[in-house]
Amino acid sequence: MSDFNEFDQATRTELEAAAFRRLLSHLDDNKDVQNIDLMILADFCRNCLSKWLVSAAEERGERLDYEAAREYVYKMPYSEWKAHYQGTATPEQLAALDARQAKKNNQE
């Protein structure tokens, strides 16, 4: 069995890309998982993934429109996803997110 770091850079990149596509597919299969829930638990959400794609493109000297990146991540226009799948954040979710952000800010 190989250690991940033993793979050549091209193979590592392909594996990372495959894992990212799998993550996107998993999120798409679990639309009931709200972005706020992801933010509370993992400090990232689908919008963060979109921003990271834009940033990665910029690092390579490419331009990627944020809305185009969101459409790739959400597999539909964000406005459509939001209308069909995004619920209203509960007071408990908002409080949990605020608590996470406060804890994060205190650690910095």
Side-chain angles (χ1 to χ4, degrees):
M1 189 173 314
S2 295
D3 180 287
F4 190 80
N5 292 317
E6 292 176 9
F7 293 120
D8 61 72
Q9 183 60 46
T11 300
R12 285 194 309 268
T13 298
E14 290 172 14
L15 294 172
E16 291 164 348
F20 181 73
R21 287 189 297 270
R22 179 83 181 259
L23 171 62
L24 293 180
S25 179
H26 182 77
L27 290 172
D28 190 52
D29 290 344
N30 292 279
K31 292 179 181 77
D32 58 313
V33 176
Q34 296 293 297
N35 281 334
I36 194 166
D37 295 325
L38 291 170
M39 289 296 296
I40 292 165
L41 294 173
D43 200 31
F44 84 96
C45 70
R46 293 167 180 90
N47 289 323
C48 296
L49 293 172
S50 304
K51 290 174 186 175
W52 296 343
L53 281 171
V54 170
S55 178
E58 288 173 356
E59 288 172 9
R60 297 182 58 88
E62 304 289 340
R63 291 182 46 88
L64 176 60
D65 179 72
Y66 177 58
E67 290 305 319
R70 287 209 301 189
E71 189 164 334
Y72 176 75
V73 168
Y74 285 93
K75 297 188 178 176
M76 64 185 69
Y78 176 65
S79 59
E80 184 178 326
W81 190 92
K82 189 175 174 181
H84 288 36
Y85 303 107
Q86 184 168 306
T88 302
T90 66
E92 294 81 12
Q93 288 172 314
L94 293 171
L97 182 60
D98 286 344
R100 177 165 183 52
Q101 292 300 318
K103 182 178 178 183
K104 183 179 169 183
N105 291 338
N106 288 335
Q107 292 175 352
E108 292 177 349

